[in-house]
Amino acid sequence: EVQLVQSGAETKKPGESLKISCRASGFSFTEYWIAWVRQMPGKGLEWMGIIYPGDSDTRYSPSFQGQVTVSADKSINTAYLQWSSLKASDTAMYYCARPKGGYQLAALDSWGQGTLVTVSS
Amino acid sequence: IRLTQSPSSLSASVGDRVTITCQASQDITDYLNWYQQKPGQVPKLLIYTASNLEAGVPSRFSGSGYGTDFTLTISSLQPEDIATYYCQQHDILPITFGQGTRLDIK
């Protein structure tokens, strides 16, 4: 069974750093891309970026380029999303998701449960 | 690529046929997917590549379209279909989503 299990909810202050995780199981982690999707409170879905853990090839949406870093550790089947300096506007639910069939450009058929990040002073 | 869904919200009765449209700002052939997100839940893939039903999704859901205009249809609305529905294109990066259509039961 394909599973993406994300790390727990986080509450941080503006300016702090944060790294959240997405642990994969049930498929070959190095042969599938992993995407990150943001959902701000009461709002829609926004695609942030994507990584191929096999060679760490990473692409970002222009809206998120330079604002976050996507990475992966294939030795422990885990993808990461990190911030170096959080802002209140980073408050959101963050999902990792896997595109179908091992393709970069495909429907997202498996999703993590989400990690709620709250940034408040 | 910008995706525009309509309507933004709608109310319908159980048993109604419901149609949600998604218009792309440029030709995306059939690289269009539909998701359902129930309140407090994770998005779920319903339809991929415009018209393919994801495994386990009830057959009352269907998708159609090509190029710039796409449709998600629920043939007979059920109470458990209360959700927000999103279209998403995967023709080119960055992948983009429509703004969502909120569906309520009348």
Side-chain angles (χ1 to χ4, degrees):
Chain A
E1 179 195 5
V2 173
Q3 280 197 303
L4 298 171
V5 179
Q6 298 185 230
S7 49
E10 302 273 2
T11 299
K12 292 288 190 179
K13 290 181 166 40
E16 292 186 332
S17 63
L18 176 63
K19 192 173 189 178
I20 63 174
S21 66
C22 170
R23 188 179 78 250
S25 62
F27 65 97
S28 179
F29 185 64
T30 55
E31 295 180 5
Y32 282 81
W33 293 81
I34 298 290
W36 288 93
V37 176
R38 183 176 79 173
Q39 188 167 38
M40 298 177 76
K43 302 298 184 183
L45 304 171
E46 300 173 272
W47 187 89
M48 302 175 71
I50 196 166
I51 187 165
Y52 189 74
D55 62 6
S56 294
D57 187 5
T58 307
R59 313 295 171 87
Y60 294 94
S61 166
S63 299
F64 293 93
Q65 180 86 47
Q67 307 305 307
V68 296
T69 301
V70 173
S71 61
D73 184 340
K74 58 188 179 183
S75 70
I76 54 171
N77 288 2
T78 301
Y80 301 97
L81 178 66
Q82 69 180 87
W83 295 259
S84 58
S85 180
L86 286 160
K87 301 184 280 287
S89 57
D90 293 318
T91 295
M93 182 72 82
Y94 293 88
Y95 296 101
C96 61
R98 190 195 76 164
K100 259 182 169 316
Y103 299 106
Q104 180 190 84
L105 294 169
L108 302 171
D109 65 351
S110 297
W111 293 68
Q113 83 276 21
T115 296
L116 181 62
V117 174
T118 303
V119 183
S120 175
S121 54
Chain B
I1 296 176
R2 182 176 177 84
L3 299 178
T4 303
Q5 290 183 232
S6 60
S8 295
S9 64
L10 79 153
S11 292
S13 300
V14 172
D16 281 355
R17 183 181 183 87
V18 172
T19 298
I20 298 169
T21 65
C22 178
Q23 185 170 60
S25 59
Q26 64 188 66
D27 188 340
I28 57 170
T29 63
D30 61 354
Y31 296 135
L32 192 284
N33 313 302
W34 291 96
Y35 298 85
Q36 175 194 64
Q37 188 177 32
K38 296 182 179 181
Q41 295 190 18
V42 177
K44 174 187 173 183
L45 178 64
L46 297 177
I47 302 286
Y48 62 96
T49 326
S51 60
N52 296 281
L53 193 68
E54 177 71 350
V57 174
S59 58
R60 64 181 179 273
F61 291 93
S62 64
S64 64
Y66 192 90
T68 61
D69 295 298
F70 301 87
T71 300
L72 173 70
T73 300
I74 307 172
S75 61
S76 179
L77 186 67
Q78 300 302 304
E80 60 266 32
D81 299 335
I82 295 173
T84 300
Y85 293 84
Y86 296 93
C87 59
Q88 175 228 348
Q89 67 80 21
H90 67 267
D91 183 39
I92 60 170
L93 293 182
I95 286 170
T96 49
F97 291 89
Q99 83 279 13
T101 295
R102 183 172 175 173
L103 174 58
D104 293 320
I105 300 292
K106 202 182 289 184

